[in-house]
Amino acid sequence: MNSRKIVILGGGTAGWMAANLIAKSWCDKDIRISVIESPDIGIIGVGEGSTPQFKAFMDFIEVPESEWMPKCNATYKNGIRFVNWSTRPGFEQYFHPFPAQPDDYSAPAFFHNSFVRRKGVDLEGHPDPFFLATYLAEQAKAPIAAENFPFEINYGYHFDSAKLGLLLAEKAKAFGVEHIQTRVRDVRKDTDGAIAALVCDAGQEVSGDIFIDCSGFSSLLMQKHLQVGFESFSNNLFNDSAVVLPTEQGNVIASETLSVARKHGWSWHIPLTNRIGNGYVYSSKYCDKDQAETELRAALGLLDSDVEARHLNMKVGQVKEHWHKNCVAIGLSQGFIEPLEATALHIVQETVQSFIECYQEQNFSCKGKDKHNQMMSQRYQAIRDYIVAHYRVNSRTDTPYWRDNANNNQLSKSLFDVLNTWVQGKNLSDELDRQDIDKYYPSVSWHCLLAGYGIYPEQHQLVAASQAANKHDLNQIREYIRRCALNFADHRTQLAHFTD
Ligand SMILES: Cc1cc2nc3c(=O)[nH]c(=O)nc-3n(C[C@H](O)[C@H](O)[C@H](O)COP(=O)(O)OP(=O)(O)OC[C@H]3O[C@@H](n4cnc5c(N)ncnc54)[C@H](O)[C@@H]3O)c2cc1C
C-alpha cells in the first residue's frame, strides 16, 4: 500500500473519536492523520450520555476508566428511566436497562409474561421487576460487580463532553495525529469533483487522499461543498430544538439517565459528579423557546435563578450518502436522530468502524463506499424507527404535540409490522429476526419499550392467570435480583475509588 493522508475537519467528539480509532487501527500502516478545527467556531458541547458501546471504544484505545472518568466528571449509567410517557395505570414509568448476563435467568419470565398478557391473561407485564440494571439504578448502585461475581454487565456512561474532547485530543496526538487550528474557508476540487485540498485562513491549503467531515451540523464538506442531499426525518420525529440548563448535584449520584415527557417534548437529566446536565428537547412547531425555557426552569426550580440557558437547533435526519467520492461524513455532519436514546456517539463509532473496514477491504481505495452507505443508511433507519415508536405509542392527550404524535401514521413498513406483531399478540422476537433488525435494537429493548408503556389489553379485559400460565415465580425473581445486587457498591462510593 502507498502512503495515505487522511484529513479530518472538526475537533468535536466525532472528530477526535474518528482520529483515535483510525490512528489506533492503522498504527502499523503508512497513514498520516490531521485534525483541523476552528477554536472560533467551537464544538456543540452537548452529548453527555452514552450506550455501552463507548466502553468498547475506550478499551480499544486503551484508556482505563480510572484515567478518563475522573477527568471528565464521568458517572456510570445502567440505562434510561422514562417517566410520564404513558398514562396507562401502573405504566407511568419504566426503565430501559442495559443488558447483564444475570438477566439470562430472569428475562425469559418477562418475555413469557408479556406474551401471555397480550393474549389477555393477568400476569405481571411491566419490565422493571425482571432486570438487574433496573434494580441497580433504583438503588443508585454502580454497575461494577465485586470480583466474586463473575458475570458480564453492560453499562454506559455520562460525561462532560467538553472535557472528553480535550482528553481525546491528547490521546490522538499521542498516537501521532497532527492538530491544526485554523478555519476552513473553501474547498479545492480535482477534475472528478473529489476534494483535493481544504483552503484555510491565510490561504493555507491542506491536501489529502480522504477527507472526513466532522464539521457538525454545518456539514461543510458533505452537504455544502459536495452538495450531497439530506433526508429529513421531521415527518415522524417532530423535535427540532433544545434548551439546556445545569443544576447542582446532590448527595446521591443517580446511575441512570432520566427522561421525562413534558408538554411539547421531553427533558433529559444526566448526572455528572459535579453537576446535573438538563435539557428540554421540543418541537418549535408546538412551543417557542421562551415557553420551553420557562417549562424547564419551573421543573428544575430555577424560575428565579439567573443560571443562563443555552438554546440549540437540531437538524434531524441523515445525508443521502454517508461516503461520497473521497469524503466520509461522521457525527452531526452525517445526520442526527434526536438524543432520546443517546445513540449519536454510538453511531459515530459504528461509522468510523465501517469506514475502516470498507476502506481497508478495498485496498485503501473508495471502492467500498456503496457497502458503507448501505450499512449506515440501514442503521439510521432502524434507530429512527425505535425512537419513533416512543412517540407513536404514547397515550398522553394533554397537548396537540402528544396527540399528533400518537396519530402519526407516516411510519415505515418495518415499524408498522413490529407494532402490529405486538398488538396482535404474535412473537415479537421472531418478527425482529425476520426483519434482521435486532442487531440494532435487541428484542429485549423492544419488549421493554412496548411493555413499559403498558401496550396490553385493558385491565378489565384481562382474565386471572391459571397456574399453567403463571409458570415463573415473581417473588423468586425479585429475590434473585436483590441478591445479585448485593455484589454492587453504591455509585458515589464506587466513583470515589478513582480519587482514593
Ligand atoms: C440537544 C442535543 C443533545 C445530545 N445528546 C447526546 C447524548 O446524550 N448522547 C450522544 O451520544 N450524543 C448526543 N448528542 C449528539 C452529540 O452532541 C454529537 O454527536 C457529538 O457532540 C459530536 O458532535 P460533532 O463532533 O459531530 O460536532 P461539533 O461538536 O459541532 O464539532 C464540529 C467541529 O467542526 C469544527 N468546524 C466547523 N466548521 C469549521 C470550519 N469552517 N473550519 C474549521 N473547523 C470547523 C468546529 O470547530 C468543531 O470543532 C446530542 C446533540 C444535541 C443537539
Side-chain angles (χ1 to χ4, degrees):
M1 181 199 107
N2 297 329
S3 68
R4 294 281 186 281
K5 170 90 189 281
I6 297 178
V7 179
I8 299 173
L9 170 60
T13 319
W16 288 118
M17 280 180 76
N20 277 284
L21 281 170
I22 295 170
K24 180 79 199 308
S25 301
W26 290 330
C27 57
D28 57 341
K29 307 257 181 306
D30 185 7
I31 290 187
R32 284 173 301 140
I33 304 166
S34 302
V35 171
I36 302 181
E37 66 160 331
S38 161
D40 303 342
I41 297 176
I43 62 167
I44 189 156
V46 280
E48 309 203 315
S50 87
T51 69
Q53 190 80 352
F54 198 75
K55 179 167 182 356
F57 166 71
M58 283 296 190
D59 288 349
F60 180 71
I61 64 167
E62 296 180 61
V63 185
E65 288 178 350
S66 57
E67 180 185 344
W68 79 265
M69 286 187 69
K71 283 187 181 160
C72 300
N73 301 128
T75 66
Y76 291 108
K77 172 176 172 186
N78 285 297
I80 307 177
R81 182 172 308 282
F82 289 87
V83 177
N84 293 342
W85 289 75
S86 169
T87 55
R88 295 180 180 94
F91 295 89
E92 294 84 355
Q93 60 167 291
Y94 78 97
F95 193 77
H96 179 192
F98 290 136
Q101 216 175 6
D103 298 343
D104 290 352
Y105 172 75
S106 51
F110 167 56
F111 279 97
H112 168 81
N113 282 14
S114 64
F115 185 70
V116 175
R117 190 177 172 114
R118 281 187 282 139
K119 296 192 176 302
V121 180
D122 192 6
L123 283 180
E124 174 57 89
H126 198 292
D128 284 5
F130 299 93
F131 294 94
L132 178 58
T134 309
Y135 189 86
L136 294 178
E138 275 164 12
Q139 304 289 317
K141 288 191 169 209
I144 306 298
E147 216 180 334
N148 59 355
F149 191 75
F151 299 101
E152 199 186 319
I153 310 290
N154 286 289
Y155 55 85
Y157 306 97
H158 308 110
F159 41 75
D160 181 318
S161 63
K163 291 188 168 161
L164 180 71
L166 295 175
L167 181 123
L168 292 180
E170 286 314 309
K171 293 292 161 194
K173 285 189 262 184
F175 283 130
V177 172
E178 179 190 28
H179 185 195
I180 307 172
Q181 290 185 297
T182 182
R183 187 166 184 147
V184 172
R185 300 282 176 185
D186 203 357
V187 162
R188 185 164 60 75
K189 294 187 194 154
D190 65 18
T191 46
D192 292 336
I195 300 175
L198 304 185
V199 184
C200 308
D201 274 344
Q204 178 198 3
E205 287 206 358
V206 181
S207 58
D209 299 292
I210 286 279
F211 292 83
I212 303 207
D213 185 351
C214 297
S215 63
F217 278 130
S218 69
S219 196
L220 192 70
L221 306 183
M222 197 55 112
Q223 290 181 57
K224 193 160 169 227
H225 282 284
L226 295 182
Q227 297 276 301
V228 169
F230 189 77
E231 176 195 354
S232 169
F233 293 160
S234 60
N235 272 356
N236 45 30
L237 286 176
F238 301 164
N239 296 336
D240 59 3
S241 309
V243 50
V244 181
L245 267 170
T247 48
E248 282 173 23
Q249 183 55 278
N251 287 337
V252 176
I253 302 183
S255 51
E256 63 182 25
T257 298
L258 187 59
S259 160
V260 183
R262 303 211 175 270
K263 284 187 192 155
H264 314 286
W266 61 277
S267 63
W268 77 73
H269 306 276
I270 289 187
L272 304 188
T273 52
N274 62 329
R275 64 167 161 89
I276 298 177
N278 313 283
Y280 183 10
V281 177
Y282 62 96
S283 165
S284 62
K285 198 176 137 200
Y286 296 84
C287 101
D288 67 30
K289 61 199 280 254
D290 293 337
Q291 271 175 292
E293 183 176 330
T294 304
E295 194 185 338
L296 182 63
R297 281 188 183 278
L300 298 173
L302 293 180
L303 277 176
D304 299 324
S305 152
D306 53 7
V307 178
E308 218 173 303
R310 277 184 66 207
H311 288 267
L312 299 162
N313 296 323
M314 312 184 304
K315 196 171 155 192
V316 175
Q318 64 168 332
V319 282
K320 290 193 173 148
E321 284 175 279
H322 295 258
W323 182 343
H324 179 74
K325 295 195 182 283
N326 62 342
C327 179
V328 182
I330 299 179
L332 297 173
S333 71
Q334 78 184 122
F336 183 51
I337 301 169
E338 63 139 283
L340 187 56
E341 290 276 352
T343 44
L345 296 181
H346 185 127
I347 298 177
V348 164
Q349 201 174 336
E350 297 287 345
T351 310
V352 182
Q353 279 162 351
S354 164
F355 160 69
I356 289 171
E357 181 190 315
C358 296
Y359 195 53
Q360 182 155 358
E361 214 169 65
Q362 294 296 334
N363 197 21
F364 295 86
S365 77
C366 292
K367 288 185 194 142
K369 74 178 169 52
D370 291 347
K371 179 177 166 189
H372 175 85
N373 284 333
Q374 197 189 6
M375 289 201 298
M376 292 324 303
S377 174
Q378 281 171 355
R379 181 171 291 278
Y380 260 81
Q381 285 168 14
I383 294 176
R384 175 202 60 198
D385 283 351
Y386 185 69
I387 304 298
V388 170
H390 292 71
Y391 292 97
R392 179 63 175 80
V393 301
N394 96 83
S395 55
R396 293 175 64 122
T397 52
D398 53 331
T399 59
Y401 172 88
W402 289 107
R403 291 194 295 272
D404 287 355
N405 268 298
N407 292 327
N408 169 25
N409 283 327
Q410 311 206 39
L411 309 180
S412 69
K413 164 111 177 45
S414 162
L415 178 56
F416 185 81
D417 288 349
V418 168
L419 297 181
N420 251 349
T421 301
W422 180 269
V423 293
Q424 287 173 2
K426 295 185 188 155
N427 188 313
L428 186 64
S429 301
D430 286 353
E431 174 60 18
L432 300 170
D433 188 40
R434 182 189 72 76
Q435 293 195 32
D436 195 23
I437 52 172
D438 45 2
K439 59 188 176 211
Y440 305 114
Y441 271 101
S443 185
V444 72
S445 292
W446 281 101
H447 273 83
C448 283
L449 165 58
L450 297 170
Y453 277 67
I455 315 289
Y456 289 119
E458 299 289 330
Q459 187 65 42
H460 69 267
Q461 297 170 310
L462 299 177
V463 297
S466 67
Q467 209 154 12
N470 216 340
K471 70 176 190 183
H472 297 279
D473 181 342
L474 197 57
N475 288 332
Q476 203 180 349
I477 286 170
R478 285 206 171 99
E479 182 58 8
Y480 162 76
I481 289 179
R482 187 190 69 80
R483 290 171 68 171
C484 285
L486 294 174
N487 294 284
F488 296 79
D490 164 71
H491 194 197
R492 185 180 275 283
T493 312
Q494 183 72 38
L495 293 169
H497 291 326
F498 292 136
T499 44
D500 281 349

